[in-house]
Structures are given as structure tokens and as C-alpha cells.
Amino acid sequence: MKYTLPILILSLLISCTPGKSSKSSSSAGSSEAPATNEDASSYLNLEKIERNIVVRTFNEYNSALSLATDVPISHENVVIEFNAIKNSLPSNNSAKTFSSFSQVSALRLSFSYCDVYMNISPLWKDFDFDSGSDSQILNMLMENLLDYSSSKPSDITKYADLKSKLDDIIKNKPVDGQVLVQSTDGGPGTVKKRLTTMACSAILSSSYYTTH
């Protein structure tokens, strides 16, 4: 199922997500992700790119998303999307190869993974989105895709800005008077699942996954 990706999600992509999880760090490369929002926002400003930022190539990024979600890279939906956008993703690890087109392509690929992830993951496939709270959904999403624990005060502080923006998506917060998913698109549970898929995409296309 395809969903329109609203512009709000793109605004999340420069949000810094410090630290690396064991899932996303298995690909080649050892440089740290930037530690501040200012550093992260430089990804789309070539004049401010730091030399120590190492981006993932299209194959490395594809593998990182597969590892994080347990969705095979051979899955039909993923293969179709990957073949359509891979030429827009970096072919080497230089930050200068990562452009605004790369960011949009990363979002498209991450959405493809998240769409499958929500339907096959043991965590989500039988989840009751009608009764699950926004807080429960958000914590489950972050704890499984990021190096984050909702019981650690240091993590709560470190990820506060990102969590707030993801919460806006989960809550279907209006942007310029328009909500992300219309209520006519399905019942409350269906709408909430779509919003969770969008929030998942924002995480997987952020600097946490696009860089080493």
C-alpha cells in the first residue's frame, strides 16, 4: 500500500539522532554521527559539510535498513523501490555525494521498508492500533529502531527533540491546517498504523541511518 509522504516528515530528516544501535552499526565504517542538530543540518549544505561525516553508500544504507527491520533486501516491494532510487543515493562515503535528492530517495526507501515492517514484524503485525496509546507506540518504535530506552533519563534527554517531532506525526498534528492522514482513509486503527509507518520512515531516513 502506498501513502503520500507529507512535507512534515522531510522536516524531521535533519533532526539529529545521536548514538548508534547495534543493528545499524554493523555496516562498514566507524565514524561517529554528528552530535548536534546544527551538525546534522549541514548534510544539505555543502559549504558546511564536516570532513568527519561518513555517509552510507546505497548498498550500505539498504543493508542497514534491512538489518534494522528484519525485512529482507530481496522483498519484492523493497527491490522495486531500491532499483528506482538507488542512483540518487551516494555511491561512495563522501558527505559531498549526499544531496537533497539523496534525502528524498532515502525517505522513499525507508518508507518501503517500514510499510513491510509494520505488516510482518512480530512486534507490529498483530498490534492493536485501536487501543494502543500514542506513548506506547512511540516508545516501541524508538526502542526497536534506535539506541533508546524509555526508562533511561539520559536517553529521554538526548532524544527529546526527535521524540517531540515523531510524536507530532503519531498524533496526526496539522501542518498549515492539513493533517497527515485523513480520517476518511480508514478507521482510527488504520489511520494510526499509517502514521506509525510515517514515523518509522522519518527515523530510518534520518542521520542515524544515512551516516556511519
Side-chain angles (χ1 to χ4, degrees):
M1 183 179 295
K2 296 291 185 181
Y3 309 130
T4 299
L5 298 177
I7 196 65
L8 174 62
I9 296 183
L10 288 174
S11 73
L12 295 177
L13 302 181
I14 59 173
S15 295
C16 183
T17 50
K20 291 288 182 180
S21 69
S22 58
K23 283 188 175 182
S24 66
S25 62
S26 62
S27 297
S30 59
S31 297
E32 294 293 330
T36 68
N37 283 343
E38 181 179 357
D39 289 338
S41 66
S42 70
Y43 289 176
L44 303 186
N45 186 338
L46 298 183
E47 294 180 357
K48 295 182 179 180
I49 286 178
E50 299 290 340
R51 292 182 179 180
N52 64 342
I53 294 177
V54 179
V55 300
R56 283 192 164 100
T57 66
F58 59 89
N59 280 328
E60 290 172 341
Y61 180 58
N62 194 30
S63 296
L65 299 193
S66 177
L67 190 62
T69 60
D70 289 326
V71 174
I73 59 175
S74 58
H75 191 283
E76 181 182 6
N77 292 4
V78 170
V79 170
I80 292 173
E81 194 64 53
F82 181 68
N83 287 337
I85 57 86
K86 66 180 180 181
N87 289 336
S88 298
L89 293 172
S91 58
N92 63 61
N93 298 118
S94 170
K96 292 184 178 181
T97 65
F98 195 89
S99 66
S100 56
F101 294 105
S102 302
Q103 189 66 84
V104 173
S105 294
L107 180 60
R108 286 180 54 180
L109 184 61
S110 67
F111 191 85
S112 180
Y113 269 101
C114 288
D115 196 23
V116 178
Y117 172 59
M118 287 292 154
N119 289 296
I120 70 170
S121 169
L123 182 69
W124 297 108
K125 65 179 182 179
D126 296 320
F127 184 79
D128 186 354
F129 284 92
D130 282 304
S131 61
S133 69
D134 292 344
S135 177
Q136 178 189 10
I137 291 171
L138 187 54
N139 283 333
M140 287 171 59
L141 199 60
M142 293 181 67
E143 288 179 339
N144 280 274
L145 297 178
L146 299 167
D147 185 19
Y148 171 84
S149 172
S150 59
S151 62
K152 289 181 61 176
S154 59
D155 283 356
I156 292 174
T157 299
K158 183 167 67 173
Y159 288 94
D161 184 58
L162 177 67
K163 188 171 185 177
S164 174
K165 292 176 181 178
L166 292 173
D167 191 53
D168 286 346
I169 294 178
I170 298 293
K171 285 183 166 55
N172 209 13
K173 182 178 179 180
V175 179
D176 295 330
Q178 295 185 343
V179 294
L180 307 179
V181 179
Q182 299 292 332
S183 59
T184 54
D185 291 341
T190 299
V191 169
K192 187 64 67 177
K193 185 176 181 179
R194 293 186 182 185
L195 292 167
T196 305
T197 303
M198 291 178 178
C200 169
S201 305
I203 293 174
L204 294 189
S205 54
S206 73
S207 59
Y208 190 94
Y209 284 94
T210 58
T211 67
H212 284 299

